[in-house]
Amino acid sequence: MKYIPALSFEWLTTLYDPVMLLMRESTFKRSLVEQANIKNGYRVLDLGCGTATLTILIKKAYPGAEVTGLDGDTKILGIARAKVANAGLDVSLDPGMSFELPYPDRSFDRVVSSLVFHHLTREDKARTFKEIFRVLSPGGELHVADFGKPHNALMYLISLIFRHLEEAGDNINGLLPEMFQNAGFDRVEETDRYMTPFGTLSLYRARKAL
Ligand SMILES: C[S@@+](CC[C@H](N)C(=O)[O-])C[C@H]1O[C@@H](n2cnc3c(N)ncnc32)[C@H](O)[C@@H]1O
């Protein structure tokens, strides 16, 4: 197994939130939260929650939802816990690995995930998508923001550098939708695309059939 921390190196983790400002974070995370269409009482997992920016956004937008963040890095979960306490929100934060989720089958109505899958090897991506499928209820949905296939010439040029960053190659080759389908999801679609300094960022939606 290969574990890649938030900014590739553990010693950079405290700089994560400032660096994210370069990624148009507030714009794409707001869109992701909107497209997730969360209702009162829904159980929502933020997979690879990092510093919990998205987790907090979800809980603030949908106070009636039961929101859980999970991350494999205990150091970043420390930052997440401080931010959640500071915001005075009732959110659970669990340590755990994406490909061995510590939850029973059908535990969630929504799984959201931002900028995590490009950290995973192809094998761990496939294992993770199967785990997400397992913990979702029938009719539940996966909503993802992550690097995707370049959508213009500038993004293509940038991708020539960043395809070697972490495990981003499969994302940049546009393989995520096919991998969601292989895990059992249907209604898989790319819903939006953004230009960022690190290349195209895509939003995806996928459903576990009823
Ligand atoms: C780039 S950060 C994204 C954090 C957050 N989702 C966001 O959008 O700001 C990637 C996160 O995924 C976590 N991560 C990487 N591999 C993981 C795995 N196999 N299981 C759980 N978390 C993982 C890292 O610890 C890190 O916090």
Side-chain angles (χ1 to χ4, degrees):
M1 181 208 96
K2 179 174 177 186
Y3 193 89
I4 304 176
L7 286 179
S8 294
F9 303 102
E10 197 255 335
W11 55 275
L12 285 175
T13 296
T14 47
L15 296 176
Y16 183 76
D17 278 350
V19 168
M20 279 304 287
L21 296 175
L22 295 172
M23 280 292 295
R24 305 179 60 191
E25 175 183 35
S26 58
T27 307
F28 82 77
K29 283 186 176 165
R30 259 173 232 292
S31 295
L32 189 66
V33 170
E34 246 171 58
Q35 83 164 42
N37 190 23
I38 293 163
K39 308 259 191 270
N40 272 345
Y42 273 18
R43 302 153 301 162
V44 183
L45 175 65
D46 178 7
L47 180 74
C49 63
T51 59
T53 306
L54 177 64
T55 331
I56 289 170
L57 214 55
I58 295 168
K59 186 64 183 176
K60 281 186 172 167
Y62 305 105
E66 199 181 296
V67 182
T68 302
L70 170 134
D71 203 281
D73 177 348
T74 50
K75 179 171 175 179
I76 210 159
L77 277 180
I79 300 174
R81 288 208 169 90
K83 280 171 68 175
V84 165
N86 198 35
L89 294 172
D90 179 15
V91 160
S92 307
L93 292 170
D94 297 333
M97 300 305 287
S98 62
F99 41 77
E100 267 171 15
L101 293 174
Y103 309 109
D105 298 357
R106 305 174 177 211
S107 293
F108 298 99
D109 304 289
R110 294 285 184 268
V111 174
V112 295
S113 188
S114 154
L115 292 171
V116 176
F117 300 142
H118 74 277
H119 284 243
L120 308 180
T121 62
R122 184 176 295 183
E123 190 194 347
D124 286 344
K125 281 185 185 75
R127 290 167 70 200
T128 295
F129 300 151
K130 282 197 179 133
E131 274 294 87
I132 295 171
F133 192 82
R134 178 182 70 74
V135 300
L136 271 171
S137 291
E141 293 174 1
L142 167 64
H143 293 268
V144 174
D146 211 329
F147 295 112
K149 200 169 178 177
H151 65 293
N152 61 35
L154 177 61
M155 293 297 102
Y156 173 74
L157 286 176
I158 291 178
S159 80
L160 296 178
I161 303 167
F162 286 103
R163 64 168 47 253
H164 304 294
L165 174 81
E166 300 172 341
E167 293 289 328
D170 290 339
N171 293 53
I172 289 169
N173 289 332
L175 295 184
L176 289 190
E178 188 185 322
M179 295 186 85
F180 297 146
Q181 274 162 351
N182 290 343
F185 288 97
D186 70 359
R187 294 194 190 163
V188 176
E189 54 176 321
E190 188 183 38
T191 54
D192 215 341
R193 293 182 295 201
Y194 295 85
M195 293 216 286
T196 81
F198 305 103
T200 296
L201 182 113
S202 295
L203 301 197
Y204 300 100
R205 176 190 2 244
R207 186 193 71 152
K208 175 169 175 173
L210 280 167

